[in-house]
Amino acid sequence: SCATRGEVAVTLPVGARYIATHYFTTADSPNDRADVYETGPKEVANARFSEAVHGQNNHGQEVVTVYYYNRANRARWVSINVDYR
């Protein structure tokens, strides 16, 4: 089936060292949840997250990007949190 793709990105402060990415969505089965919960980059109720992709912007900052593929016929909330030091 077809999916819509959303992009979520976080730009780290200059000099920050990436530690981990946390993935959150309301997608659940048989009904979506009222609030987001942590899922990881895996298949969840007609949706999935990609593994985080890392790159640098023009200011030398690390940018962490995640794609969310939603195959459900409804909108869902998604977010990521990035740990760094």
Side-chain angles (χ1 to χ4, degrees):
S1 68
C2 293
T4 57
R5 183 180 91 162
E7 179 180 306
V8 184
V10 172
T11 301
L12 303 185
V14 173
R17 293 183 59 197
Y18 170 84
I19 298 172
T21 302
H22 301 274
Y23 307 76
F24 299 88
T25 183
T26 55
D28 204 358
S29 181
N31 299 307
D32 287 353
R33 296 184 184 194
D35 200 6
V36 295
Y37 69 103
E38 189 166 0
T39 65
K42 64 179 187 175
E43 184 72 24
V44 289
N46 288 320
R48 72 174 176 83
F49 283 104
S50 67
E51 290 280 345
V53 176
H54 301 259
Q56 282 197 335
N57 65 16
N58 293 337
H59 304 288
Q61 295 168 286
E62 184 171 359
V63 179
V64 180
T65 304
V66 167
Y67 296 100
Y68 181 76
Y69 299 90
N70 184 15
R71 294 184 312 279
N73 60 356
R74 60 192 169 277
R76 291 167 156 171
W77 289 99
V78 297
S79 67
I80 61 172
N81 288 350
V82 177
D83 296 337
Y84 62 89
R85 60 175 146 188

